[in-house]
Amino acid sequence: MVPDDRKLKRLIAAASMYYKDNMLQSEIAGVMGISRPMVSRLLAEARECGVVTITINEAGSAQELLAGRVTARFSLKRAFVVPSRGSSTRDGNSSVARRAFTFWHDELEETEYTGVGCGYMVGMFSEYAGTRTPDPVPRQGEIFPLIGGIKASFRSYHTNELVRLIAVQSGLNASYLYMPALFDSEDEKRMYEHTEAYRDIESRWMSLTTAVIGISNLHATPDLATAARFGRALIEERAVGRILAHYYDINGRFIEPRNDIAMQIPLSRLRTAKNVVALCADYLTPESLLGALRTGIITHLVLPDTLADQITQPSDLQ
């Protein structure tokens, strides 16, 4: 029997306090001015008429349960939680990179125009690709950098090399970006934006269907180029992390640079990608991850179980 509107409101009120607010039946009785047995009857009726439905999650592992909680809490398309307890830092991060690659390669749809970021975890993603036997039938599409290269000894910041490794394994056509991630001035950047090379990479960014990115902590001391871009804004506006060279705060608000000298895909274009797969290292802080998730850009997340635990537990960060 369908309850009338007045009864329905009472059922919803009782069920919300019991199931959502975790109140005792005696506490609900006090709030509603009724007896505890009456609260019990209201809860039973709420289940019978469909106000309350109970779902049993038949996850096969603790990681699957955690992944479901992360997916639901942050409105993701999908999350993958990788076991890392008891593993070395490198082994745990390698497991995250392998799971991210197999998801991108074997399960994810609409990867025909894939853009690749940079950093430690994206470097491990491409490193794992380099260990796999190339696909017998080349995939259709292109792969390209989302940001220019950085002159560093770490290969994980050489974006063209990361693209090359993935292209060799997958058979996707590689397009390269022969420009630095950060120019010396806005005038220099504008000059490059009028070149054929820039128009080529811009057309790839416009076709982007899937992005593979890492999430990075905020360095305690910014490098000179970052200091030149933002001045004191990262400190004053309490930045907690970055995606590519875009910095954000704990609430997911991106911080505007004082000087726009970065060569990277615009946020407006990244937001329109169907898939944005983010990889998390085990040393990523919960603040950095929460801020990244709150930007609304990430659609798929791959992270270690220790970090998943931290962001799904009630805390002051939430």
Side-chain angles (χ1 to χ4, degrees), residues 58-298:
E58 297 184 1
S61 68
Q63 286 76 34
E64 289 181 19
L65 282 172
L66 263 178
R69 289 167 61 187
V70 172
T71 299
R73 176 163 294 185
F74 298 102
S75 301
L76 300 173
K77 290 183 179 179
R78 196 169 177 187
F80 300 92
V81 174
V82 178
S84 64
R85 292 182 177 86
S87 302
S88 67
T89 295
R90 179 168 179 82
D91 287 346
N93 291 335
S94 293
S95 296
V96 169
R98 284 196 302 272
R99 186 66 188 95
F101 184 87
T102 55
F103 171 62
W104 171 80
H105 185 274
D106 301 332
E107 303 171 48
L108 189 60
E109 297 181 353
E110 298 183 286
T111 59
E112 60 270 22
Y113 294 101
T114 293
V116 176
C118 63
Y120 179 69
M121 291 306 296
V122 179
M124 298 200 81
F125 180 97
S126 65
E127 182 180 301
Y128 175 68
T131 67
R132 290 179 44 132
T133 303
D135 290 348
V137 179
R139 297 160 71 98
Q140 298 298 310
E142 295 189 47
I143 186 164
F144 42 84
L146 297 174
I147 186 170
I150 295 175
K151 293 180 180 178
S153 57
F154 305 108
R155 189 168 69 172
S156 56
Y157 288 95
H158 299 174
T159 50
N160 286 339
E161 176 62 8
L162 304 184
V163 165
R164 185 192 68 81
L165 287 170
I166 301 169
V168 168
Q169 191 283 327
S170 65
L172 289 171
N173 291 322
S175 294
Y176 300 114
L177 175 57
Y178 295 103
M179 295 183 191
L182 299 172
F183 289 100
D184 291 332
S185 68
E186 290 182 315
D187 287 341
E188 184 183 19
K189 179 186 174 183
R190 281 193 290 268
M191 180 184 72
Y192 273 88
E193 287 177 339
H194 287 90
T195 64
E196 188 67 30
Y198 178 78
R199 285 190 288 271
D200 284 346
I201 196 65
E202 186 180 39
S203 69
R204 269 70 180 184
W205 291 345
M206 293 299 293
S207 302
L208 179 72
T209 54
T210 293
V212 177
I213 61 171
I215 303 171
S216 300
N217 292 324
L218 179 71
H219 292 302
T221 304
D223 56 62
L224 293 176
T226 302
R229 286 181 68 208
F230 290 95
R232 291 187 54 80
L234 297 183
I235 297 173
E236 293 171 352
E237 299 183 44
R238 299 183 179 182
V240 296
R242 66 177 173 84
I243 293 170
L244 302 175
H246 300 291
Y247 289 80
Y248 53 82
D249 65 15
I250 188 67
N251 297 312
R253 182 185 64 84
F254 284 103
I255 297 170
E256 291 293 329
R258 185 175 65 183
N259 298 307
D260 185 14
I261 58 174
M263 178 55 65
Q264 60 182 332
I265 187 170
L267 284 171
S268 58
R269 185 66 198 94
L270 189 59
R271 287 186 186 279
T272 63
K274 293 185 181 297
N275 306 304
V276 178
V277 183
L279 287 73
C280 303
D282 69 348
Y283 54 76
L284 190 67
T285 66
E287 295 91 340
S288 181
L289 178 52
L290 286 169
L293 289 167
R294 290 167 179 163
T295 66
I297 284 178
I298 296 166

